[in-house]
Amino acid sequence: MNIRKILQTDLQQMVFLGMVVAMKIILGQISFGSTIVKIGLGFVGSVLLGYLFGPFWGTIGGGISDLIASAIFGNQGGFFIGFTLTAMAGPLIYALFLYNKPVKIWRIIASTILVTIIVNIGMNTLWLHIMYGLNFNALLVQRLPKEMIMPWIQMIVIYFVLKAVSRVKIKK
C-alpha cells in the first residue's frame, strides 16, 4: 500500500470524515446500561468509518471521535487511553473486511464477530479491569450475555445501513 496515496486526500474528504466522526460521537451517546454492560449505537459510526474511509483514515477517525467525545461529554472514571485504542480498533477491523469491497453477509458476520471478540470482550473488559480493579473473570461473566446477543442485532443493522450507503454515490 502506497503511503503517499493514503495521506493524499482533499478538503471534501476531510469534511466528510468530520461529519462521520460527529455522527459516531452522537450515536455513541445513545446508549443505556451501566459502565460494565452498555448497549448503544456507536458501532454504526465505527462501521461507516471503516467502510467509507478504509483502515488508515477510519482508524484515525475512530481515535478522534473518542478524544472529542471525552472532551465534550467526559467519561465516567475519567479519560483512559485504552478506550481510545478500542475506538480505533473497531473501524480498523471493519475496514479490513468492508472497505472498497461489495457488501456481503459473510463480511459483515466475520467483521462483527472479530470486533465482538477482540474489541468488546477482550479490550474493553481488560480496560474496565485495569480502571476499576475489578476481577477480570467476574467482568467477563457480566459482559458475556450481552456480547452473545448484541452482535446478531448489530449484523442486521449493519447490513441495512451498508446496503443503503452503498447505493449512494460518494466521490472518493
Side-chain angles (χ1 to χ4, degrees), residues 1-108:
M1 189 173 279
N2 187 344
I3 201 81
R4 179 176 243 200
K5 185 177 181 190
I6 290 173
L7 295 175
Q8 188 177 30
T9 188
D10 61 9
L11 180 60
Q12 185 176 4
Q13 280 292 100
M14 286 293 102
V15 169
F16 187 45
L17 176 64
M19 289 170 51
V20 175
V21 165
M23 187 175 73
K24 179 176 175 3
I25 293 168
I26 293 166
L27 289 172
Q29 296 306 305
I30 302 170
S31 65
F32 61 93
S34 68
T35 303
I36 307 299
V37 181
K38 188 182 285 189
I39 298 169
L41 295 175
F43 73 93
V44 174
S46 294
V47 170
L48 290 176
L49 283 170
Y51 177 74
L52 296 170
F53 298 100
F56 182 80
W57 288 110
T59 302
I60 298 294
I64 290 170
S65 72
D66 182 71
L67 295 174
I68 292 172
S70 294
I72 294 173
F73 302 109
N75 287 334
Q76 187 175 354
F79 172 77
F80 184 70
I81 192 70
F83 290 116
T84 304
L85 295 174
T86 293
M88 296 169 78
L92 173 63
I93 293 169
Y94 286 121
L96 295 174
F97 282 87
L98 303 170
Y99 182 61
N100 283 338
K101 295 177 176 77
V103 177
K104 299 285 186 189
I105 292 172
W106 76 266
R107 292 181 189 283
I108 294 169

